[in-house]
Amino acid sequence: MDITFSAEELAFRDQVREFLAQNWTPDLARRIRGEDEEFKAAQIEWQNKLNDKGWLAPGWPVEHGGVAWSVTENFIFETERSLAGAPDVVPFGLKMVAPVIYGFGNEEQKQRFLPRILKSEDWWCQGYSEPGAGSDLAALKTKAELDGDDYIVNGAKVWTTYAQYADWIFCLVRTDASGKRQDGISFLLIDMKSPGITVNKISSIDDHHSLNEVVFDNVRVPVANRIGEQDKGWTYAKALLAHERTSIAGVADSKRRLRDLRKLLSEEISGGRPLIEDVQFQNRLSNTEIELMALEYTELRVLASTADGKGPGVESSLLKIKGTEIQQAIQQMYMDLAGYYSGVLHGDETAESIGHAFGHDARKAYMYGRAATIYGGSNEVQKNITAKYVLGL
Amino acid sequence: MDITFSAEELAFRDQVREFLAQNWTPDLARRIRGEDEEFKAAQIEWQNKLNDKGWLAPGWPVEHGGVAWSVTENFIFETERSLAGAPDVVPFGLKMVAPVIYGFGNEEQKQRFLPRILKSEDWWCQGYSEPGAGSDLAALKTKAELDGDDYIVNGAKVWTTYAQYADWIFCLVRTDASGKRQDGISFLLIDMKSPGITVNKISSIDDHHSLNEVVFDNVRVPVANRIGEQDKGWTYAKALLAHERTSIAGVADSKRRLRDLRKLLSEEISGGRPLIEDVQFQNRLSNTEIELMALEYTELRVLASTADGKGPGVESSLLKIKGTEIQQAIQQMYMDLAGYYSGVLHGDETAESIGHAFGHDARKAYMYGRAATIYGGSNEVQKNITAKYVLGL
Amino acid sequence: MNFNLSEEQNMLKDSVARFVQDEYDFETRRSNAANPLGFNPDNWQTFAELGWLSIPFEEAYGGFGGGPTDVMAVMEEMGKGLVVEPFVATVLMFGGLLSKSDNPALKDANIEKIIDGSLQGAFAYVERQSRFELADVKTQAKRDGDDFVLNGEKTVVFNGAAANKVIVSARTSGEQCDEAGITLFLIDADAPGVERTQYRLMDGQLVANIKLNDVRVAASQVVGKVDEGYTLIDSVVSDVTIALCAEALGIMQKLNTTTIEYTKTRQQFGVAISSFQALQHRMVDMFMAGEQAKSILYRAVCAAEGEADDLAKNIAALKVMIGRNGKLIGDEAIQLHGGMGLTDELDVGHYVKRLMMINTTFGDADYQQQKFNRLAYAE
Amino acid sequence: MNFNLSEEQNMLKDSVARFVQDEYDFETRRSNAANPLGFNPDNWQTFAELGWLSIPFEEAYGGFGGGPTDVMAVMEEMGKGLVVEPFVATVLMFGGLLSKSDNPALKDANIEKIIDGSLQGAFAYVERQSRFELADVKTQAKRDGDDFVLNGEKTVVFNGAAANKVIVSARTSGEQCDEAGITLFLIDADAPGVERTQYRLMDGQLVANIKLNDVRVAASQVVGKVDEGYTLIDSVVSDVTIALCAEALGIMQKLNTTTIEYTKTRQQFGVAISSFQALQHRMVDMFMAGEQAKSILYRAVCAAEGEADDLAKNIAALKVMIGRNGKLIGDEAIQLHGGMGLTDELDVGHYVKRLMMINTTFGDADYQQQKFNRLAYAE
C-alpha cells in the first residue's frame, strides 16, 4: 500500500497549481456562472486553455492528442482543479463520445471528429434516454431505417443536457426490432443542423435551461456517421456506462463544496454563535465528510485497479450511488445554511439587496442536483446491477 | 377532536394508580425478573391479582369474565401499568387463543378453557411458525390426519416462546394439502402433556431461554379440541394477526423505557458532564421520542377507529413496524449508555462488583429485542401487506 | 376520545376542498401566483364571502371563533391545492397578533376589514442576521413624544408586497437577542420612510424586504404592550406553526397519492414500476411518514385546544417531524417520478418547494429539534 | 499509487487465513473461548511459532518490524475467524506500550517473552467512572522513596484474567481528567495488593476488574516517563484502533457473505428470499457499507504509514464508520437471517456481538464523531 507522492508527482502538482493560478481567473469564473451564450463561451475558453496546455484529454490515446497521465497524476489534477473551483470539462464530447470514436470508430471518423472535439469546435450532446425509456435504456424506440447511403431517423430523445448549444448528438437508435432488446441497436453521430431536428426546452425545477427534448422527424444521417457495425451499438455504449458512473461520483468537487461550506458556516451567526459551532450541524458535516473521505479512497481503489489493468469494474455503481448521495447531502446543507434565503428567486434584485449572496445558488444547485440520482442509470438501477453482477443475487 | 379525560376517567386513573401501588410490589418486580420457575410463579401471581380485581381480560365478553373498558380506559390502564413498570400479561392465552375460543369455539370449549385461562391455571403457547415457514405462515407443513375421534399430528413448530412452561399449545395444522395454501388448515388446541410431544430448547443470542422447538410425533388430539370447522383454521387465525401487531407496538412500555433512560443519562458522567447534556445523545433521544409521541397518537387513532366500529384495519402494520423500530432504537441507546459494560455477562459476579448495574440488562433487552422486527410477521412482510392492501400496489 | 371533526368543521373542510377542486387546478394556480400581487384578488373576495377570513377571530369582532382544529381543517385542504392566497400572512399572522393583543381600538379598526377582505396584512419579523431567532431584533424604535421612530430593515416579509399594513417587531430596550424589550408596531405599508423591495420565493410567494428610515408611528399603534412583544409573537408563531404543518400534511398526502398513481402507470423493463418491491417498500415508508405526521399534528392540535402545559414541546416535535418526513416524502416523490419529477410542468416539484419553505419557516427541523431538546432535557 | 500488499504481507495474511480455515471452525472457537484462560494456550504457542507475536516489534528486540499494513492484514483474517486469543491485548496494547516507550530495560526484560509466547500482558485503562475518556484517571500513584504506591480500581481489563503482567495508568499529578500527570506502571498481576475479579463479555473475552490496594511498584517499572503517560496511551490506542477496525472489516465481510448465501437457500413464498428486490437493495447497502469501511481503513493505514498530520482525524473517521457500518451490517445480517439469526448455534450473532464490542472499545461511533468534529471544525 502506497499513496505517498513521489518527487516527480509533487513537481507535477506544483505545475498544476501554477497553471490554475494563471488561467482560472476570477473573470472567467464569473462568466462561466452566467447563463446561455456567456456560459458557453466561457466554458469553451476554459477548455481551450486546457487544450493549449495539452491537458484537456486525459485517457485519450496520445496519438489523438490525449495526455498519458498516471492514475496518481490524474488524481492530483482533479483534486487541484476542483479545489481551485474550476469546472470539469463538458463530458459529452471529451469523455463520452470520444472514447467510442477512438475505440470503435473508423480512421475517417477519428480524423474528422476528434480534432474538433479537442478544439471545442463541436459541442456534443447525448441521445440515450427516451420519453418511454429512462433507466431502462434498452427499451429505446427511436428508429433508423436504411435508405440508400442514409439512415432515416424518427423518434425522440429526452433529458438531453445542453442540446440547445449542441452541434452534434450521439444517439442510440433501433435498426432492428426483431431480436432481443439489446440487439438491433446502432450508434449514430448526428449533425444537429440536419433538417427535421427540433430541440424543445424542458423547463426544470431549478429554473435553469439545461434539459431538452430532441425530436427527429425523418432526419437523414449518412451511414458513414455510424460507429462500428449496424445493430452492435449496445456493445459500444455499454463500455461508456461504467466510466460515466465513475465520473458522476464527483469526489473532488464535493471536497471543495464542503470546504466552502465550512467557511460559510463559520461566518453565519445563529443566536450569537457561528453555526459551525452547532453540534448538530457539525454532525451533519462530519457524516458527509467521513463518507467522502471513504469514497475518495474507494475511487482511488477503482483507479488503482484500472491502472493494474483490471478495469473499473462493477464498483463503479457504488461510486455513482454514494457520490450522488454525498452531493445531495451537501446541497441540503447549503440550503439549510441559507435558511429563509434558500427560497429566493432572483429577478431584478441582487443577492446583496435581499440577504445572503448564496441562497439563490444554493437553491439552484439543490434543485439541479435532484437529477444526479436519476440520470446515468438511476441509483435504483445501479443497485439492481450491483445485486446481480457483484453479489450474484 | 377530543382527548381530554372526563371526571369519571380521571377517577378511574386514580383507581388504577392505587391498585398498582398496592399490588405491584418491589418484591414481585424483583421475582418477575428472575429466571425459569421464579419468573413463571411471579407472572402468574401478578395475573391473579389483576384477575381478582376483574382487570385481567379487557376486550373479552363480560359474560366470560372480561372487562368492558372504553378505548380511553384501556389507554389509561396501559399507560399507568407501563409507567409503573408492571409487565403486560403473557399474551398467548389471554390475548391470542381466548379471542379465537370465544369467537369461534363451541360452548363446551368456552366452558372448558376460558375460566382456566382467567385463573392462569393453563399456560398457553403459540404453534404457528415452522422450521420451513417463518413469515410465510401459510407454507406450514405440520400434518393432522383424522383417525376416528382423534387427529394424529406430525411435524414441528419453532420459535415457540415459553413452550417450556406451557400446559397447552394452539396450533395451525394442515388437514388438506390439495387446494390453495391458505385452505386446508385447521386450528387445534393440544395438551402439551400428550405423548409424542418433545420440547427442544433453542439457545438464543440473549442467553435467555424463551424460544423452543416443539416436535409432534404421532400426537393424538381429540377432534373435540378443534376450533370451528376443519380446513377453516386460517380464517380464525387471521382475525388474530391484526391484534397481535397492535400489541407488539408496545407504546406505553417504550414511554417508560425512555423515561428511565433519561434518568440514567442524567446520572452518567462523561468527560465531567452528564451524558444527557451531550447534544448528540439528546438528538438520538428526541429522534426516538418524537416518533413515539406520534406513534402514541397513531395508536389512539387506531383505537378510536376501532371504538367507532371501523376495526383496527391495516394501520396495524404501521404500528408494528414503527413500534418495533422505536423499541430497538431505545435498546441501542441503553447499550451505548452502558458503554463497555454493555458487554458484561454476569456469571457469579454481581453488577455492583463489576460496574454499571444496567449493562447486563441492557444487553439482554437489546439481544431479545432483535426478535421484534422478525416475529409476528417480519417487518418486511408488514411492508408487503401495507403495499398491497393499503396502497393498492 | 375521538379524532372526528364536528359537523361545522367538516363543512368548512369540504368547502375548501371543493374550492380547490373546482377553482384551483394546477394551471390556474400558476396564473394566480403570477399575478402582480402574488395572488388572485378575486379569490380573496371569494374567501371573504365564504367566511374563511373570519375563522380565527372572536365573535365579538365578527369572527367565526374557530380554534386550532378549524384552522387545521382549512389548511390541510389549502395545502392540497397549493393555494397562494395569503391566508396565513394576513389572517393568521397579522390578524392573529391583533386578535391576541389586548388592544380593543386596534381590533376595532382592523379585524372587520380583514374579515371583509379589504385589508391585507403582514408581519415583519426576520432580519438579515436573525436567522430563526425571533428575539434577534436590531430594528430600533425610539420614543419621541407620543410617537415612536423606527429604523432598521426587515427581510423576507410574507405577503410584504401586497400588504396595506404591516406589524413590525422592533427593539425598545435590551440587547440584540433579548426576549424582553421587543415591541410590535402597526404601520401603514406606504408610510413615509418605508421602502419595500419585492421578490419571489421558490414556492411562488411574493415577499418583500422592508427598510424603515425614520418611520414615525403613534404610540396608539403599539400591538400589545411596549417591551412585551415577544410573548405575543411566541404565541402567534405557535398557532401559525400548527397551521403551516397542517398545510404540509395536505401536501404530503397529495405527493403520496400522486407518486403511487404515477408508479402504477410508468412502465420500465416491461412492467409498471409499482410492481418493484424495493419501490413498494419505499412507498410504504412514505405512507408511514405521512401517517406519523398526521398523528403528531393531531397531538399538537389537541394540546393547543386543551392549552396543555407541554404545548411548546408538542409544537417543536411537530415542526421537527413535518420537516423531516416532508423531506423524505418530497425527495422520494421526485426520485420515483424520475426525469418527470425534474420538470417544472409537473406539479410535484412545486409541492416539494412549498414543503421546503414550510420547513424553513420559523426554523427548520434541526433548529426545532434543539428547541425540543432544551424543553425536554434541560430540566 | 497502489493498494497492494507486499509479497511478505500476502504470505502473512495467507498464513492467518489458513490457520482460521483449518484450525478455527465455529465449534472449535466456542471451545477455545470456554477455556478457563479465555483462549486456547496451544493456539498461542502456534502463533509464537508462526512468528505472529513478533509482528509489531523492532528487529533489535527480535521482532518482525511490521507496520500498520502488516497488522491490518493479520487482523482482518483474525476477524473472519472470531479468534479469541489475546493478540490485541498482549501484543498490540501491552507490547505496543512497551515498544513505544523509551525504556530499553523494560523492553529487554519483556518483549522477547511476548514474542516467544511465554508472557501474557494487559493494559488497564478503564475505570468505573471514566467511560471513554482515556485521561479520566482516579487511580492514584504516590511516590515513596524509590517506589510508587498504587491505589484504585481498573475495570474491563482485556485479557486481565490471563495476564501475567499488567500496565496500569495512574495519576501522579493533576486533576481527575487532566492529560498531564498520568503515569504508566508495569506491575505483576499477582503482586501483593492486586485483587482480580474476572468475568466474561458477550464476545467471549475473559476480562477482569483489578483493584489496587497499596500496590508497591519500583520506579524502574514506569513505562515511558512520569506524568507523560497520556501521549504514549494516545499513540498506542491509535495503532490498536486500526487493528480493531481491520478485525471489524473481516467480520463485516464474513457477515455479508454469510447473509448473501443464506438468502439464496432460504425459501419463503415459494422462492429463495434472495430474489426479493427489497432485500437485494438492502444487501447492496450492506455491500456498500463494507466497501466504504474498507476504503476508510486503507486511508487510515496510509495515514499511519506516512505519519500524516491529520492521522488523528483519519482514525476518528475510521472508528465512526466502522461503528456505524458495522451496526448496519450486523442488524441486517440478523434481520435477513430471520429467526435463525436469533439462535446461539449460528455464528451470525457471535460476529455481531464482537462488532458491538469493537464499536464500544475506545469510544463508540458517537463519541468518536465528536472527537472528529473537534479536530475538524474547532479551528
Side-chain angles (χ1 to χ4, degrees), chain A residues 126-143 154-160 169 171-173 181 198 200 202 212-216 374, chain C residues 262 265-269 271 273 336-341 343 346:
Chain A
Q126 178 192 39
Y128 278 14
S129 288
E130 296 191 2
S135 287
D136 181 14
L137 214 52
L140 63 90
K141 291 202 172 71
T142 295
K143 206 168 51 180
N154 280 289
K157 297 292 180 176
V158 79
W159 319 126
T160 314
I169 184 169
C171 281
L172 291 177
V173 295
R181 298 191 321 157
T198 318
N200 298 316
I202 297 176
N212 301 275
E213 184 188 36
V214 182
V215 182
F216 300 86
I374 295 168
Chain C
Y262 180 78
T265 58
R266 172 70 175 167
Q267 302 268 325
Q268 291 267 276
F269 306 102
V271 291
I273 63 173
L336 297 184
H337 275 83
M340 287 306 293
T343 64
L346 210 72

Side-chain angles (χ1 to χ4, degrees), chain B residues 78-261:
Chain B
E78 279 299 303
T79 303
E80 296 298 326
R81 171 193 65 72
S82 167
L83 289 176
D88 201 355
V89 300
V90 173
F92 308 110
L94 284 155
K95 296 187 171 180
M96 302 180 90
V97 76
V100 175
I101 293 173
Y102 63 66
F104 308 102
N106 58 36
E107 204 48 42
E108 194 200 322
Q109 290 167 335
K110 292 178 196 173
Q111 295 307 329
R112 179 174 170 201
F113 291 108
L114 295 177
R116 296 183 58 82
I117 291 174
L118 274 184
K119 290 189 208 130
S120 300
E121 288 169 348
D122 291 335
W123 188 292
W124 284 82
C125 64
Q126 179 192 38
Y128 278 14
S129 288
E130 296 192 1
S135 287
D136 181 13
L137 215 52
L140 63 91
K141 291 203 173 71
T142 295
K143 206 168 51 179
E145 287 168 306
L146 211 49
D147 179 44
D149 286 345
D150 293 338
Y151 288 103
I152 313 291
V153 178
N154 280 289
K157 296 292 179 176
V158 78
W159 319 128
T160 315
T161 303
Y162 294 145
Q164 76 266 37
Y165 306 140
D167 304 298
W168 286 84
I169 184 169
F170 57 96
C171 282
L172 291 177
V173 295
R174 187 156 298 286
T175 35
D176 182 356
S178 64
K180 249 182 67 189
R181 299 191 321 157
Q182 280 79 358
D183 298 337
I185 291 173
S186 298
F187 195 111
L188 296 187
L189 313 179
I190 306 180
D191 188 335
M192 287 291 282
K193 288 181 294 293
S194 313
I197 292 186
T198 319
V199 176
N200 298 316
K201 169 180 170 176
I202 298 175
S203 293
S204 60
I205 55 174
D206 64 344
D207 302 299
H208 174 69
H209 180 195
S210 59
L211 300 180
N212 302 275
E213 184 188 35
V214 182
V215 182
F216 301 86
D217 179 16
N218 287 316
V219 175
R220 289 205 160 259
V221 180
V223 171
N225 288 6
R226 191 191 67 220
I227 296 285
E229 292 179 53
Q230 178 167 304
D231 298 340
K232 300 286 182 214
W234 185 254
T235 322
Y236 315 138
K238 228 173 51 176
L240 266 183
L241 294 177
H243 173 77
E244 186 186 359
R245 282 173 220 141
T246 310
S247 75
I248 289 175
V251 169
D253 287 325
S254 288
K255 277 172 76 173
R256 173 178 47 81
R257 295 263 293 159
L258 268 180
R259 181 199 62 186
D260 295 349
L261 177 61

Side-chain angles (χ1 to χ4, degrees), chain C residues 50-339:
Chain C
L50 291 167
W52 301 350
L53 304 183
S54 75
I55 290 170
F57 299 109
E58 294 163 74
E59 291 167 38
Y61 293 95
F64 174 82
T69 309
D70 304 85
V71 171
M72 175 184 78
V74 168
M75 289 303 300
E76 191 178 329
E77 298 305 320
M78 290 214 181
K80 291 181 190 161
L82 276 183
V83 170
V84 292
E85 281 65 25
F87 182 77
V88 171
T90 295
V91 177
L92 301 182
M93 293 179 81
F94 179 81
L97 288 168
L98 289 171
S99 188
K100 290 202 163 181
S101 78
D102 208 16
N103 194 326
L106 291 184
K107 292 188 190 180
D108 274 338
N110 294 288
I111 290 179
E112 200 178 307
K113 290 183 185 161
I114 297 175
I115 292 174
D116 73 17
S118 63
L119 175 60
Q120 285 290 345
F123 174 39
Y125 63 97
V126 182
E127 299 190 356
R128 281 197 184 226
Q129 83 293 343
S130 69
R131 208 171 155 79
F132 305 133
E133 299 294 333
L134 297 167
D136 184 346
V137 175
K138 276 165 91 170
T139 298
Q140 291 289 332
K142 292 233 160 67
R143 198 177 255 282
D144 183 35
D146 280 349
D147 295 342
F148 285 85
V149 177
L150 274 59
N151 277 289
E153 185 189 9
K154 296 288 175 178
T155 61
V156 201
V157 180
F158 298 131
N159 201 31
N164 312 110
K165 294 193 178 187
V166 180
I167 295 174
V168 173
S169 61
R171 188 154 291 289
T172 37
S173 70
E175 299 297 315
Q176 183 182 324
C177 292
D178 289 353
E179 293 182 3
I182 295 169
T183 306
L184 299 176
F185 296 94
L186 177 64
I187 65 172
D188 281 346
D190 53 2
V194 173
E195 189 188 320
R196 286 196 274 189
T197 308
Q198 67 174 50
Y199 52 93
R200 277 195 190 274
L201 298 184
M202 61 175 163
D203 60 356
Q205 286 187 85
L206 196 61
V207 301
N209 282 12
I210 300 184
K211 280 200 180 129
L212 304 158
N213 308 307
D214 289 329
V215 175
R216 189 163 281 273
V217 199
S220 62
Q221 301 302 299
V222 168
V223 182
K225 297 202 179 64
V226 171
D227 282 348
E228 296 178 15
Y230 184 80
T231 319
L232 204 48
I233 296 175
D234 192 49
S235 168
V236 169
V237 163
S238 171
D239 293 347
V240 175
T241 299
I242 291 180
L244 289 175
C245 290
E247 182 186 352
L249 179 66
I251 294 175
M252 291 186 215
Q253 291 170 341
K254 183 83 183 178
L255 282 173
N256 279 348
T257 313
T258 304
T259 304
I260 288 169
E261 288 312 313
Y262 180 78
T263 62
K264 286 180 180 168
T265 58
R266 172 70 175 167
Q267 302 268 325
Q268 291 267 276
F269 306 102
V271 291
I273 63 173
S274 63
S275 67
F276 293 124
Q277 192 192 35
L279 302 193
Q280 289 180 351
H281 281 204
R282 283 161 64 174
M283 284 187 273
V284 170
D285 290 340
M286 293 167 77
F287 163 75
M288 293 197 299
E291 289 300 307
Q292 284 283 83
K294 185 181 201 171
S295 293
I296 206 155
L297 175 65
Y298 282 10
R299 183 181 188 113
V301 167
C302 287
E305 290 279 5
E307 290 167 24
D309 294 341
D310 60 352
L311 176 60
K313 202 176 127 179
N314 277 296
I315 297 284
L318 167 65
K319 193 70 172 41
V320 171
M321 183 167 270
I322 290 291
R324 297 261 164 82
N325 293 11
K327 174 161 172 60
L328 181 139
I329 289 171
D331 282 354
E332 290 289 50
I334 290 181
Q335 183 71 20
L336 297 184
H337 275 83

Side-chain angles (χ1 to χ4, degrees), chain D residues 110-126:
Chain D
N110 294 288
I111 289 179
E112 201 178 310
K113 291 183 187 162
I114 297 174
I115 290 175
D116 72 18
S118 63
L119 175 61
Q120 285 291 344
F123 174 38
Y125 64 97
V126 182

